[in-house]
Amino acid sequence: MRRRLLNELLGIDYPLIQGGMAQVATGQFAAAVSNAGSLGIIAAGGLSSEQVRKQIHAARELTSKPFGVNVMLMAPDVEAVAAMLAEEKVFVITTGAGNPSPYIADWKLAGSKVIPVVPSVALAQRMEKAGADAVVAEGTESGGHVGELTTMALVPQVVDAVSIPVIAAGGIASGRQLCAALALGACGAQMGTALLVSEECPVHPNYKQALIVAKDISTVVTGRTMGAPVRILKNQMAREYIKLEKEAANREEMEALTLGSLRRAVFEGDRETGSFMAGQVAGQLDEIQPLKTIFESIMAEYRLTLAGLPQL
Ligand code: TUI
C-alpha cells in the first residue's frame, strides 16, 4: 500500500509541520504557519496553562485552518497544561523533552491527534503502544533540546520499528532534505530553524541576523553534563557555559547563566548573553522571506530533486 504523506494525513497543503520553539511560536505565529499551508504549532514551553489557552484562542481568531500545540514535558506546570489541552480539544498535540504517556489517553479522548517527538527507537515504540497517532523522529542536528542520534541514522530505524507514520526532524530546511527524509521512510518533515528566518516570525531582528550569518559549524551543544543537551549558536554565552561545564561548576552557577537566556535572545536580541537555539541548518539560511515563499521554495526544490533521481 502506498505510504500516505503528512499533508493527506492532516488535511494540509504541504507534508511539513512546524517545530515547537518555546518563547517563539505564539498563537499568531502558529496561525500564520497554518495559513501558509503547513501546520502551525503553539509552543507551550515557558507559558502557564492560562497563557497557552489565550494563545489557542488567539490562533482560532486568526485562522480557520488546523493548528497544534507543543507541550514541553520538562516544564514545571506540565500537568496543568496537559489538563487544559484536554478541555480545549486542539487538532494536534506534539510533545518534547520527555515521555508523554500519562497524558495520551485523555488527549485522545478529547479528539486530538497526538504526535510525540522522540530521539530513539525505544521511545517511539512506547509511544505507539500508548496510542500515539504518529511520531516525530528528531535527529541531533535540530536546535534546542536534542538527543544523540542523527536524523539519517534515527529515521529509518524508527520507521522499521513502528507501524504509525513517522515525521522526520533535524537538519531539514530544503527540498533536497525533505526528499531525503521521505527516502528514509518518513511521511513528512518538521521544521523549526528554517522558519525562524520568516518575515512573520516574532523573534528579535538580531536573532534572524545571527542565523543568516551562521555557518555550518556555528552551532554547539551545551548542557550535556547537566542531562539537558541544548543546541544553540556559538556566542559568549555558549563559551562561558561550556567553560563552566568543563570545570564541573555547580548547578546553581550554570542555571544562573541559562536563566532567562532564551528570552534575552528572542525578545532582546542580546548577542552576548542570549541562548540562540538553532539547528545545524542555520548555515544554509541566507535570507528573510515570507512563510509562503519558504514553503513554496522547499516544495519546488523537492519536486525537482525527485524528478532528477530516476536519471541517476
Ligand atoms: O523538545 C525538543 N526540543 C526543545 S524543548 C526546548 S525548551 C528548553 N528550554 C530550556 C532548556 C531545555 C529545553 C527547546 N528545544 N525536542 C524534542 C526532543 N525530545 N528532543 C529530545 C527529546 C527527548 C529526550 C529525552 C524526549 C524524551 C526523552 O526521554 C524520555 C524519557 O523519559 O524516557
Side-chain angles (χ1 to χ4, degrees):
M1 205 179 75
R2 190 177 77 84
R3 183 186 345 154
R4 290 180 77 201
L5 291 185
L6 190 52
N7 48 310
E8 294 178 66
L9 294 170
L10 298 178
I12 57 178
D13 295 346
Y14 309 121
L16 300 169
I17 65 170
Q18 177 223 308
M21 300 195 288
Q23 306 291 334
V24 174
T26 57
Q28 188 174 4
F29 181 67
V33 170
S34 289
N35 283 333
S38 172
L39 184 82
I41 309 259
I42 295 166
L47 303 182
S48 69
S49 66
E50 286 316 302
Q51 287 172 317
V52 180
R53 198 196 295 274
K54 278 202 188 115
Q55 295 303 314
I56 293 169
H57 295 174
R60 285 185 178 142
E61 292 292 314
L62 295 167
T63 187
S64 54
K65 302 222 164 144
F67 64 87
V69 174
N70 173 266
V71 180
M72 217 292 257
L73 294 162
M74 290 189 334
D77 54 350
V78 59
E79 300 212 344
V81 171
M84 179 277 298
L85 287 178
E87 291 167 16
E88 288 292 335
K89 306 185 191 314
V90 294
F91 181 62
V92 162
I93 299 174
T94 67
T95 64
N99 180 349
S101 293
Y103 313 114
I104 293 182
D106 281 353
W107 291 339
K108 296 295 305 168
L109 219 51
S112 301
K113 289 183 198 295
V114 179
I115 311 183
V117 179
V118 299
S120 68
V121 166
L123 193 58
Q125 288 174 317
R126 255 186 281 159
M127 294 303 98
E128 179 173 42
K129 284 206 188 82
D133 295 279
V135 288
V136 175
E138 187 183 270
T140 194
E141 296 93 320
S142 59
H145 188 68
V146 291
E148 290 287 338
L149 293 173
T150 61
T151 300
M152 182 74 98
L154 176 66
V155 172
Q157 294 189 67
V158 171
V159 167
D160 288 348
V162 299
S163 307
I164 52 178
V166 177
I167 299 160
I172 301 170
S174 74
R176 283 171 292 162
Q177 288 158 331
L178 171 61
C179 196
L182 299 188
L184 296 177
C187 65
Q190 173 188 279
M191 300 196 304
T193 309
L195 307 182
L196 287 172
V197 292
S198 63
E199 280 176 5
E200 293 90 337
C201 185
V203 296
H204 192 281
N206 290 355
Y207 203 139
K208 296 184 190 182
Q209 198 52 37
L211 289 165
I212 283 167
V213 302
K215 298 183 295 187
D216 54 350
I217 58 165
S218 293
T219 71
V220 64
V221 175
T222 58
R224 272 201 211 281
T225 59
M226 308 283 289
V230 174
R231 185 179 298 284
I232 58 176
L233 291 177
K234 290 176 184 167
N235 66 355
Q236 182 192 309
M237 151 82 194
R239 278 191 298 276
E240 278 175 24
Y241 198 98
I242 289 164
K243 187 162 161 272
L244 286 178
E245 275 192 280
K246 286 200 178 122
E247 292 165 0
N250 66 41
R251 243 194 147 73
E252 289 82 61
E253 217 178 325
M254 309 275 285
E255 273 167 13
L257 197 62
T258 24
L259 203 70
S261 61
L262 177 59
R263 287 174 159 278
R264 284 198 297 278
V266 171
F267 301 112
E268 294 161 32
D270 183 334
R271 289 192 180 84
E272 283 79 40
T273 76
S275 266
F276 293 81
M277 293 188 185
Q280 292 181 335
V281 296
Q284 286 170 233
L285 309 172
D286 49 20
E287 57 184 324
I288 297 166
Q289 294 175 309
L291 284 166
K292 190 78 193 166
T293 310
I294 295 174
F295 293 127
E296 281 295 331
S297 322
I298 289 171
M299 294 312 295
E301 188 184 85
Y302 162 71
R303 286 187 284 267
L304 272 178
T305 307
L306 200 58
L309 287 176
Q311 284 120 58
L312 294 182

